[in-house]
Amino acid sequence: MERVLIFDTTLRDGEQSPGASLTSDEKLKIALQLEKLGVDIIEAGFPISSPDDAKAVRIIGENVKNCVVCALARCKDEDINSALKALETAQKPRLHLFLATSEIHRKYKLKKAKEEILKIAREKVRYAKKFIEDIEFSPEDASRTEPDFLLEVCKAVAEEGAKTINIPDTVGYAIPEEFGKLIKFLRENLPKEIIISVHCHNDLGLAVSNSLSAILNGARQVECTINGLGERAGNAALEEVVMNLVVRKDYYKVETNIKTEEIFKTSRLVSTLTGIPVQPNKAIVGANAFKHESGIHQDGILKHRLTYEIIDPKMIGIPKSELVLGKHSGRHALRERLKILGFEFEEDKFEKFFEKFKNLAEKKKEIHDVDLIALAEEEIISVNPVYTLEYFHIISGSSTIPSATVRLKKGNKIIEDASRGDGPVDALYKAIDRITKLSPILKEYKITAITGGKDAQGEVTVCIEIDGERVYGKGVSTDIIEASGKAYLNAINFYLLRSNIEKKKIKGT
Ligand code: KIV
Ligand code: ZN
C-alpha cells in the first residue's frame, strides 16, 4: 500500500491560532509527543518571525531524531539564512519556502507580475539548494491561482531542486471535487519523483474533505495540525485525516506511519499547553465523540459495539477500564495509573504531585481518571507561573455586597489586596486585577463538574482579553471559587509569559 506522509504544522500554522502562541520549551514538549505519534515531518517554526521561534526550531532539531524537522521562510535571503541557521542542529532538516502566486496576492500584496514571481521562486530555490538538500515549496493561495501559471511555477521550482511541492488552500476556498481535479492536473504534469503535498484551511469547514480528495488524486503528503488548530478557522485536523484513512482504508487504500493510540494524549497535551479547549463534539478527540446518549443507541451498543461505534476508543488511546483511586492508594498505584493515562513525572515532580493527589483524596472520596487528568494537566500548565494563588477569603450572601481578599505570590513577594464585586467571582477577579495591575476583559467563563457527585471537582475555563490579545486559562478544585481564581491567574500567567515573544513576531503568513 502506498504511504501518505504526515506533515504536522501545529507548531507553526497551529501556533498562529489567536491566543495560542507557545514558548520554545512548550514547543519541544509537543514536538517530542509528535515524534511518539509517528508524524513524518514537524514544522517547528518560522525562524525569522521571532528569536523564540528560531530557538524552538533549534532545540527541536537537537532533540527530535526520527522526524524531519522543517522551518518556514519567505522567498527572501534573510528568511532563508535565518531558517538554515536554526536548522543547523537537525539531523534531517527541511526548508519550506513560500511565495504567493494567485492574481489577488500578486496584484495587491506583492505588486508583482507573473514573470517576477516566477523569477523570484526560481532564484530563491536555487540559492537555498546550495545549502540544503530537502526543500519544499508552497505557492501560497494556490487554489485561487490560474492552474496553468501554478503549473509553470511548480515546474520551475522542481527544476531548481524542490523535492516536495505543497499546494495550499490558504483561505479555505476550495471544494473537494475541484481541489481533487487541480491535484490530478498537477500530478499528471509534474515529474513523478516530486511529492505533491496539500495544506488546507477550514474556512468553509472543508479542510479535511479537501485533503482527502487530494489524496485520492495523487497527493502523498498532507499538512495538518492537532485539534485542527491554525490561522482563523484552522487547518485540516491531523486526527481526522488519519482516522479517515484508517477507518476507510478499504476506500483510500493508503497508509500512514501514525500510531493512532497516541492521538488522544497528543490532543490533550496540545490543548493544555495552548490553553485552547477542544470543542466537545469535535470528531475523534471531543469529549462527546464516544458518548452515546440516546436509549436506542445505548441498547444497540450493549448488544454489539459496532452497531453505533465505528472507532474503538482504545484505538486512539482512550483508556478503557477505569480504576478508581482514593486516599489509601499509594505511590505505585498512582504512578501506574498516570502512566496509562499518558503522564510521566520525574521523581521530584512526582512527589509534589503525590502530595496534591493526597490533598484531593482528603476532600474527595473517589478519584477518577478525569480527576487525575485534570490534576496532571494543572501541573503541566503551572510551569513557571508569574503569580500563584496563596490565599483568598470571600464574603457573599443574599444580603451582603460580595467582597474578596486575595493574597498572591510573585517570586518571593506576597501581595495582598481586596475588592468588592457584583458576585464572589467578580470580587475575586477585581482583587486580582488590583494586584497584577492588568485589566483583562473576561470574554468567556465556563464551569463544569468533572465527575458526578457533590464532592466533584469543578473545572473552570476562562478566556480573557488583554491589549487585544485573547488567552485561555483553566483551573480545577473542589472549591469552585478557588477553581475560578486559578483559571483567571492561569490565563494571566500565559499572557505574561508570552507577551514578550508575541510582541516580536511577524505574523506574516
Ligand atoms: O496557508 C498557507 O498558505 C500557509 C503556507 C505558508 C503554506 O500556511
Ligand atoms: Zn496555512
Side-chain angles (χ1 to χ4, degrees):
M1 229 178 242
E2 275 192 67
R3 169 102 171 264
V4 169
L5 299 171
I6 299 295
F7 176 116
D8 182 280
T9 183
T10 308
L11 302 177
R12 199 278 298 167
D13 217 333
E15 206 227 5
Q16 286 174 216
S17 301
S21 47
L22 296 157
T23 63
S24 48
D25 289 343
E26 290 167 334
K27 282 190 170 189
L28 177 60
K29 276 188 196 159
I30 294 177
L32 292 172
Q33 179 55 33
L34 290 172
E35 187 178 32
K36 274 198 202 157
L37 178 67
V39 309
D40 299 283
I41 303 111
I42 297 177
E43 187 162 50
F46 182 22
I48 194 80
S49 73
S50 81
D52 209 63
D53 251 46
K55 184 174 163 205
V57 174
R58 183 171 287 280
I59 59 173
I60 290 171
E62 243 161 47
N63 290 281
V64 166
K65 302 285 170 248
N66 302 318
C67 315
V68 171
V69 174
C70 175
L72 183 70
R74 291 169 295 188
C75 280
K76 294 182 176 210
D77 288 356
E78 63 269 32
D79 280 42
I80 298 173
N81 296 341
S82 148
L84 291 174
K85 186 144 188 44
L87 284 170
E88 267 167 12
T89 53
Q91 282 187 11
K92 297 190 241 174
R94 172 180 295 187
L95 178 71
H96 180 185
L97 284 174
F98 74 100
L99 179 64
T101 49
S102 66
E103 187 186 5
I104 207 152
H105 279 237
R106 292 192 314 260
K107 192 166 164 191
Y108 297 105
K109 189 177 89 172
L110 301 173
K111 299 186 179 26
K112 291 198 191 314
K114 282 182 177 172
E115 300 66 42
E116 286 173 278
I117 298 289
L118 203 56
K119 184 166 172 274
I120 298 170
R122 251 189 201 287
E123 274 176 12
K124 295 309 158 192
V125 175
R126 189 180 305 155
Y127 170 71
K129 194 70 186 180
K130 289 193 227 150
F131 309 102
I132 189 164
E133 186 47 31
D134 188 355
I135 296 180
E136 169 171 331
F137 183 87
S138 288
E140 193 191 5
D141 205 17
S143 55
R144 291 195 298 171
T145 302
E146 305 88 321
D148 288 339
F149 179 58
L150 181 63
L151 178 63
E152 208 180 335
V153 175
C154 294
K155 276 189 172 161
V157 294
E159 274 168 28
E160 297 298 338
K163 288 176 175 281
T164 303
I165 294 183
N166 179 46
I167 305 301
D169 180 26
T170 304
V171 290
Y173 182 75
I175 295 170
E177 216 191 340
E178 176 195 70
F179 195 57
K181 277 190 193 149
L182 178 65
I183 299 304
K184 190 163 186 271
F185 165 70
L186 294 171
R187 183 63 293 168
E188 283 169 356
N189 289 287
L190 284 171
K192 267 205 219 59
E193 62 281 10
I194 294 291
I195 294 179
I196 297 186
S197 166
V198 287
H199 173 113
C200 299
H201 278 272
N202 207 29
D203 300 65
L204 291 173
L206 291 173
V208 171
S209 306
N210 283 326
S211 307
L212 294 169
S213 171
I215 291 174
L216 288 173
N217 286 284
R220 286 296 173 264
Q221 176 180 292
V222 173
E223 302 201 352
C224 41
T225 58
I226 301 295
N227 300 337
L229 288 183
E231 187 80 35
R232 306 180 310 279
N235 290 58
L238 180 148
E239 60 279 6
E240 294 179 26
V241 172
V242 168
M243 289 314 288
N244 268 279
L245 299 181
V246 170
V247 174
R248 297 306 311 272
K249 204 172 187 166
D250 59 316
Y251 187 75
Y252 292 102
K253 298 189 170 53
V254 291
E255 56 190 12
T256 72
N257 189 39
I258 295 296
K259 321 272 175 293
T260 59
E261 329 74 74
E262 293 290 330
I263 285 181
F264 184 65
K265 201 164 125 188
T266 315
S267 159
R268 299 280 317 199
L269 181 70
V270 168
S271 162
T272 304
L273 291 177
T274 56
I276 298 189
V278 175
Q279 81 193 56
N281 59 328
K282 162 93 178 56
I284 318 295
V285 290
N288 297 346
F290 298 100
K291 279 192 184 144
H292 303 276
E293 193 73 16
S294 130
I296 297 172
H297 290 201
Q298 288 173 352
D299 179 57
I301 286 277
L302 289 171
K303 287 179 175 145
H304 197 298
R305 190 183 62 77
L306 294 181
T307 51
Y308 285 101
E309 211 166 77
I310 57 164
I311 304 169
D312 183 343
K314 266 197 296 188
M315 246 178 119
I316 62 153
I318 297 180
K320 199 163 182 229
S321 67
E322 145 123 341
L323 186 79
V324 178
L325 300 179
K327 69 175 177 185
H328 299 298
S329 307
R331 288 178 175 74
H332 182 66
L334 176 64
R335 207 192 297 272
E336 283 307 300
R337 198 63 203 158
L338 281 173
K339 211 162 146 190
I340 290 172
L341 296 173
F343 298 99
E344 280 177 69
F345 291 107
E346 288 152 18
E347 204 43 49
D348 54 329
K349 292 209 176 111
F350 177 77
E351 271 314 305
K352 217 176 110 208
F353 188 81
F354 185 64
E355 234 170 78
K356 275 179 83 173
F357 164 77
K358 283 285 174 190
N359 284 340
L360 179 63
E362 284 301 325
K363 296 182 196 147
K364 196 175 181 302
K365 249 172 66 198
E366 294 185 340
I367 312 260
H368 294 259
D369 284 350
V370 276
D371 292 313
L372 278 185
I373 291 174
L375 214 59
E377 287 181 348
E378 204 178 56
E379 208 46 44
I380 295 174
I381 53 182
S382 65
V383 184
N384 302 327
V386 180
Y387 291 102
T388 44
L389 183 62
E390 279 287 295
Y391 162 93
F392 68 94
H393 180 74
I394 301 286
I395 299 173
S396 179
S398 52
S399 53
T400 29
I401 297 176
S403 64
T405 305
V406 176
R407 229 176 270 151
L408 300 185
K409 192 169 177 193
K410 185 182 186 195
N412 295 325
K413 244 168 75 186
I414 300 284
I415 319 165
E416 183 171 312
D417 217 318
S419 179
R420 290 174 160 193
D422 295 335
V425 173
D426 185 47
L428 181 76
Y429 287 1
K430 283 191 169 127
I432 292 176
D433 291 350
R434 287 174 65 91
I435 298 176
T436 60
K437 302 201 170 29
L438 295 168
S439 312
I441 305 165
L442 187 64
K443 292 299 219 187
E444 283 170 39
Y445 174 95
K446 200 177 88 196
I447 180 157
T448 39
I450 57 181
T451 52
K454 287 190 188 129
D455 63 353
Q457 292 198 89
E459 182 177 85
V460 174
T461 312
V462 296
C463 174
I464 59 171
E465 191 178 292
I466 312 178
D467 296 336
E469 268 305 312
R470 287 195 176 197
V471 245
Y472 289 86
K474 201 152 77 170
V476 181
S477 170
T478 47
D479 179 324
I480 57 169
I481 304 289
E482 184 176 9
S484 305
K486 280 180 169 178
Y488 194 63
L489 274 179
N490 180 229
I492 288 174
N493 284 329
F494 263 122
Y495 169 77
L496 292 172
L497 285 172
R498 291 166 182 180
S499 52
N500 276 342
I501 304 166
E502 274 303 294
K503 271 180 219 145
K504 293 178 207 143
K505 279 210 164 188
I506 314 169
K507 294 268 174 176
T509 61

